[in-house]
C-alpha cells in the first residue's frame, strides 16, 4: 500500500531531512508551510529523489480558517495517510520579557495551531484506520527552565496533547509518535552559545523513521536526552528553582 | 540572519580563519543577508588552502542550499542549488542514466565550489572542465539575484572566479549519459616515468587517472598505476560503509618509511600484466570519500597539496619535480599524474593541455622550500599552479601564470566594487590588484 505524508512546517531542516528520506522510498508528500517559493524548491527536490509525488501546500499555524482546505487535500489521495508536525517558533526569552505579547504567537506556532489541525485531521485518520502521526516536541517541554520557559511550556502542552491523541487514535489503528529532540543543528540553533549533544537533522529523521516502524510512543533524539531529561525531571523543585541550566 | 563566530579551515588544515558565518537554508535568506552586508560563500571546504577562508571577516556557508530543482530527462539539463554535493547529485542521477559531466576527486565538493574553482575530473582530456558544462547560473550580489549566461564576461569571471563576483546560488548543468551506476576499471602498472607518459598519451579511455609513487627513485622514478575506466550497467557490488578518522593522527603515521612501504605494496597490488575490475561509480570517482575526515591522518599541523600543470612539451619538468620530491622524503602516498586537455571555462581556470601532477605533503619543516622549488620549475616550464590547492605561492608568480588575469580583475571590479567578497587567498596573492 502506498504511503502519503503531510509534513507541517516542511521548510525546517528536520522536515527537509525526513521528506528526503521518505522520497527515497517513494512515498507521496504534501509539503506544508508558509514560504511557498521554498516549498516548491523542496517539492522539486523530493520528486527528483523518487517521491511518488511532492506538492507544496499552504499552511500557517496562525490561520486556522484555512485548515479545512488542507484537510480536504489530504483526502484527495488514496495512499495511507500519515502526518508529521515540525512547526514551532522559539523567540529569545529576553525578547518575550520585553514584549509578553510574543507568548501568543509562540504558543500558537508550537502548540495550539498544530493541535487544532490534528484535531481536524483525527476523524480522517480514524476513518482510514491506519497511518502514523509524528509530533515533534522538544526536551525544553520536559521542564520549565529560565532560558526558554515559554517555548518549553508550549511544547509541554503539545506533548500532553499528543499523549491524549495517541490514547484516542490508538484505538482505531492510528499510531502517534512524540519525538523530543535535544539541540539540533538547524537555523533555530545556529549561532547560539554552544549546546551539548547537538545532533543533525538527518539523524533526527532517521530516529523518526525508526520510531514509526517500531511503533514507539515517545522517543528522544539524540537518545542520550532520555537519560539527561530523566535526571533533570527528578531534581526536586526547591533545588531546581535555584539552578540555571 | 544569525551569525555564528567560528574557527574554520580548508581541507589542508594548515591555514585557519576565524570569523562570523551565516548558513541560510533558503534563497530568500541568502538574498536578504547579501543585501544587508555581502560576504563570500563557502561550501564543504574541500579546497586545500585559503580559497575558502575569510579571516576576521564574514562568510556564507552554502551547504544547506542543496536542493535538486529541475531535470529534463530528454536533454539532460539539470538545475541544482549551489550547495548540492557533486557525489550526491551523481547518486541520484546515475540510476536515471545520467551523470554530472565532470566530477572532481571528492564527491563532497559542492556544485558552487566546482564552478568557483572550475574543477576538472578524470575525463578532462575529452570532456573539459566543470564550468564548460554550466549553461547558466544564478549569482546573488547586494543587488539581488541575477541570471548569468554561459560565455558572458561575468560568467567567465565567475567560473574559476573564487567567489569574487558574488554568491553562486544555483546553476543549470548539462549532464552526460551514463550507461549505469558501475564503472569497469582497467589497472595497469607503469614501470617508470617514460612508461607512464607513454600509457597516458596512448590512452583512449573516457576516464583516466594515474597514481604515482612519489617516493620511487632511480630506475623506478615515476612508476605508478594507470586506471582507465568506462561507465557501464550491471550488478552493483554493495557499497561498503564509510569509515571515519576519529582523531588527529600522530606525526609518525606518515613518516618516510611508512609511506615507502605503503607505496611499494600499493604498486604491487596490481599484477604485472594488469587487471580489470568492476566498481560502483562512487568508489572509482571518489575513492577517498569512503574514509571520512581523512585529512586528520596528517595530524594537527595539516598538510599541503601541490598541483601544477605543464605543457605537453615540458614533460621533463615533471620528471625533475619527481626527483626533487623523492629526494625530499616528504611525499605522502597521495600523488596523481594525469594528462589534461585544453578545456577551460573562466579567466582563472587552471587547465591547459599538458600533464598535471598533484602531490600531498604533510605540513613539516622543509615543505615550504620544496613547494617553492616546484613552483619555480612550473613557472620555467610555462605551467600553472592550481589555486584551489595553493596555500604557499607568491602573488607575482601566480598572476604571471594566468594570462587572462587582467580581464578577470576588470570584471570583478565591476561586480564587486567594494571588495566585499575578498578572501584570504585573494588577499595573499593580491589577485584583485591594489
Amino acid at each position: 500500500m502506498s504511503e502519503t505524508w503531510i509534513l507541517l512546517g516542511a521548510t525546517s531542516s528536520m522536515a527537509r531531512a525526513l521528506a528526503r528520506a521518505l522520497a527515497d522510498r517513494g512515498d507521496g508528500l504534501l509539503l506544508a508551510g508558509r514560504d511557498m517559493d521554498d516549498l516548491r524548491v523542496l517539492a522539486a527536490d523530493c520528486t527528483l529523489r523518487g517521491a511518488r509525488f511532492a506538492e507544496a501546500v499552504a499552511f500557517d499555524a496562525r490561520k486556522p480558517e484555512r485548515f479545512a482546505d488542507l484537510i480536504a487535500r489530504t483526502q484527495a489521495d488514496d495512499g495511507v495517510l500519515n502526518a508529521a508536525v515540525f512547526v514551532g517558533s522559539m523567540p529569545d526569552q529576553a525578547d518575550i520579557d520585553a514584549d509578553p505579547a510574543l507568548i501568543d504567537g509562540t504558543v500558537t506556532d508550537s502548540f495550539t495551531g498544530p493541535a487544532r489541525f490534528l484535531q481536524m485531521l483525527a476523524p480522517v485518520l480514524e476513518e482510514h484506520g491506519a497511518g502514523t502521526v509524528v509530533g515533534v516536541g522538544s526536551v525544553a517541554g520536559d521542564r520549565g527552565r529560565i532560558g526558554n520557559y515559554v517555548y518549553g511550556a508550549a511544547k509541554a502542552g503539545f506533548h500532553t496533547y499528543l499523549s491524549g491523541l495517541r490514547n484516542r487514535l490508538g484505538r482505531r489503528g492510528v499510531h502517534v509518535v512524540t519525538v523530543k529532540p535535544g539541540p539540533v543543528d538547524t537555523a533555530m540553533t545556529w549561532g547560539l552559545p554552544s549546546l551539548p549533544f547537538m545532533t543533525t537533522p538527518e539523524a533526527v529523521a532517521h530516529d523518526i523513521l525508526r520510531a514509526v516502524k517500531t511503533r514507539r510512543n515517545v522517543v528522544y533524539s539524540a537518545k542520550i536526552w532520555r537519560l539527561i531529561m530523566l535526571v533533570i525531571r527528578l531534581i526536586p523543585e526547591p533545588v531546581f528553582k535555584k539552578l540555571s541550566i | 540572519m544569525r551569525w555564528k563566530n567560528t574557527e574554520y579551515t580548508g581541507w589542508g588544515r594548515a591555514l585557519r580563519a576565524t570569523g562570523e558565518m551565516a548558513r541560510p537554508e533558503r534563497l530568500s535568506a541568502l538574498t536578504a543577508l547579501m543585501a544587508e552586508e555581502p560576504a563570500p560563500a563557502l561550501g564543504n571546504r574541500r579546497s586545500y588552502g585559503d580559497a575558502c577562508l575569510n579571516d576576521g571577516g564574514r562568510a556564507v556557508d552554502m551547504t544547506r542550499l542543496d536542493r535538486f530543482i529541475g531535470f529534463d530527462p530528454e536533454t539532460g539539463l539539470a538545475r541544482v542549488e549551489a550547495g548540492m554535493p557533486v557525489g550526491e547529485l551523481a547518486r541520484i542521477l546515475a540510476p536515471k542514466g545520467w551523470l554530472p559531466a565532470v566530477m572532481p576527486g571528492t564527491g563532497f565538493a559542492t556544485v558552487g565550489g566546482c564552478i568557483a574553482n572550475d574543477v576538472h575530473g578524470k575525463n578532462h582530456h575529452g570532456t573539459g572542465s566543470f564550468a564548460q558544462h554550466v549553461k547558466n547560473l544564478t549569482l546573488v550580489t547586494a543587488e539581488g539575484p541575477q541570471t548569468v549566461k554561459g560565455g558572458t564576461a561575468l560568467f567567465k569571471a565567475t567560473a574559476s572566479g573564487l567567489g569574487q563576483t558574488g554568491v553562486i546560488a544555483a546553476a543549470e548543468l548539462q549532464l552526460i549519459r551514463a550507461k549505469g551506476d558501475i564503472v569497469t576499471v582497467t589497472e595497469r602498472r607503469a614501470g617508470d616515468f617514460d612508461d607512464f607518459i607513454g600509457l597516458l598519451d596512448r590512452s583512449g579511455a573516457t576516464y583516466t587517472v594515474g597514481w604515482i609513487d612519489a617516493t620511487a627513485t632511480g630506475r623506478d622514478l615515476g612508476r605508478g598505476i594507470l586506471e582507465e575506466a568506462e561507465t557501464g550497467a550491471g550488478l552493483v557490488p554493495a557499497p561498503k560503509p564509510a569509515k571515519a578518522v576519529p582523531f588527529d593522527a600522530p606525526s609518525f603515521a606518515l613518516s618516510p618509511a611508512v609511506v615507502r612501504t605503503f607505496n611499494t605494496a600499493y604498486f604491487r597490488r596490481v599484477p604485472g600484466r594488469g587487471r580489470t575490475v568492476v566498481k560502483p561509480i562512487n568508489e572509482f570517482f571518489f575513492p577517498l570519500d569512503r574514509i571520512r575526515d581523512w585529512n586528520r591522518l596528517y595530524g594537527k599541523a595539516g598538510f599541503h597539496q601541490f598541483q601544477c600543470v605543464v605543457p605537453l612539451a615540458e614533460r621533463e619538468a615533471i620528471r625533475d619535480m619527481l626527483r626533487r620530491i623523492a629526494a625530499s622524503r616528504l611525499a605522502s602516498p597521495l600523488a596523481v599524474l594525469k594528462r589534461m586537455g585544453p578545456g577551460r571555462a573562466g579567466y582563472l581556470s587552471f587547465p591547459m593541455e599538458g600533464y598535471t601532477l598533484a602531490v600531498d605533503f604533510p605540513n613539516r619543516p622543509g615543505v615550504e622550500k620544496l613547494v617553492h622549488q616546484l613552483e619555480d620549475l612550473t613557472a620555467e616550464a610555462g605551467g600553472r599552479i592550481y589555486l584551489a590547492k595553493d596555500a604557499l605561492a607568491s602573488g607575482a608568480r601566480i598572476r604571471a601564470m594566468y594570462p587572462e588575469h587582467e580581464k578577470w580583475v576588470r570584471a570583478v571590479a565591476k561586480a564587486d566594487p567594494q571588495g566585499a567578497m575578498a578572501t584570504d587567498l585573494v588577499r595573499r596573492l593580491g589577485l584583485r590588484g591594489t
Side-chain angles (χ1 to χ4, degrees), chain B residues 152-165:
Chain B
T152 59
L154 184 54
F155 184 91
K156 287 180 188 167
T158 303
S160 76
L162 305 161
Q164 298 306 295
T165 55

Side-chain angles (χ1 to χ4, degrees), chain B residues 218-239:
Chain B
R219 269 189 331 167
D220 293 334
L221 185 82
R223 73 172 178 183
I225 295 165
L226 181 71
E227 295 185 19
E228 301 177 283
E230 305 293 339
T231 58
L235 282 177
V236 189

Side-chain angles (χ1 to χ4, degrees), chain B residues 172-216:
Chain B
E172 189 157 42
L173 312 178
Q174 176 63 60
L175 309 169
I176 54 169
R177 291 259 183 207
K179 294 186 198 88
D181 42 15
I182 59 160
V183 285
T184 43
V185 189
T186 302
E187 299 172 313
R188 269 184 291 180
R189 283 190 193 176
D192 60 26
F193 184 67
D194 291 323
D195 194 11
F196 214 139
I197 293 290
L199 286 175
L200 284 170
D201 289 350
R202 286 193 303 276
S203 175
T206 307
Y207 297 98
T208 62
V209 63
W211 169 80
I212 192 161
D213 180 355
T215 61

Side-chain angles (χ1 to χ4, degrees), chain A residues 16 38 45 49 185 190, chain B residues 2 25 64 67-68 88:
Chain A
R16 184 192 295 186
D38 192 65
D45 182 70
R49 285 166 189 269
D185 186 13
W190 180 258
Chain B
R2 221 186 277 133
E25 295 188 344
R64 293 271 166 113
R67 289 163 299 184
F68 193 177
E88 175 72 354

Side-chain angles (χ1 to χ4, degrees), chain B residues 193-395:
Chain B
F193 184 67
D194 291 323
D195 194 11
F196 214 139
I197 293 290
L199 286 175
L200 284 170
D201 289 350
R202 286 193 303 276
S203 175
T206 307
Y207 297 98
T208 62
V209 63
W211 169 80
I212 192 161
D213 180 355
T215 61
T217 53
R219 269 189 331 167
D220 293 334
L221 185 82
R223 73 172 178 183
I225 295 165
L226 181 71
E227 295 185 19
E228 301 177 283
E230 305 293 339
T231 58
L235 282 177
V236 189
K240 293 170 194 152
K243 295 193 170 62
V245 178
F247 51 83
D248 294 342
S251 58
F252 60 79
L254 287 168
S255 67
V258 170
V259 175
R260 266 201 317 278
T261 311
F262 175 88
N263 279 10
T264 300
Y266 193 81
F267 179 72
R268 299 223 168 108
R269 169 186 72 98
V270 172
R273 60 176 187 285
R275 67 176 181 187
T276 298
V277 292
V278 176
K279 292 181 180 180
I281 50 165
N282 279 19
E283 220 166 282
F284 172 71
F285 287 106
F286 319 123
L288 288 165
D289 287 357
R290 284 165 55 210
I291 309 163
R292 232 167 4 93
D293 302 333
W294 63 260
N295 53 351
R296 303 182 79 176
L297 286 171
Y298 288 94
K300 270 208 180 75
F303 71 109
H304 293 289
Q305 185 175 98
F306 168 80
Q307 183 168 2
C308 70
V309 58
V310 300
L312 288 176
E314 299 287 343
R315 70 172 68 159
E316 288 311 310
I318 300 274
R319 194 197 302 268
D320 214 358
M321 290 179 200
L322 287 170
R323 272 201 205 99
R324 290 184 199 227
I325 292 166
S328 76
R329 295 158 56 87
L330 285 164
S332 83
L334 294 174
V336 170
L337 181 65
K338 227 194 88 59
R339 191 173 158 151
M340 291 192 120
R344 59 208 304 272
Y347 294 139
L348 293 188
S349 290
F350 168 68
M352 66 164 72
E353 185 156 33
Y355 301 101
T356 179
L357 174 72
V359 189
D360 285 7
F361 302 107
N363 184 18
R364 288 195 199 137
V367 163
E368 206 159 324
K369 196 173 146 216
L370 172 66
V371 169
H372 286 316
Q373 287 174 0
L374 299 176
E375 283 164 10
D376 290 344
L377 291 171
T378 306
E380 282 161 26
R384 215 171 265 156
I385 302 288
Y386 195 2
L387 298 174
K389 310 290 179 75
D390 177 63
L392 297 168
S394 68

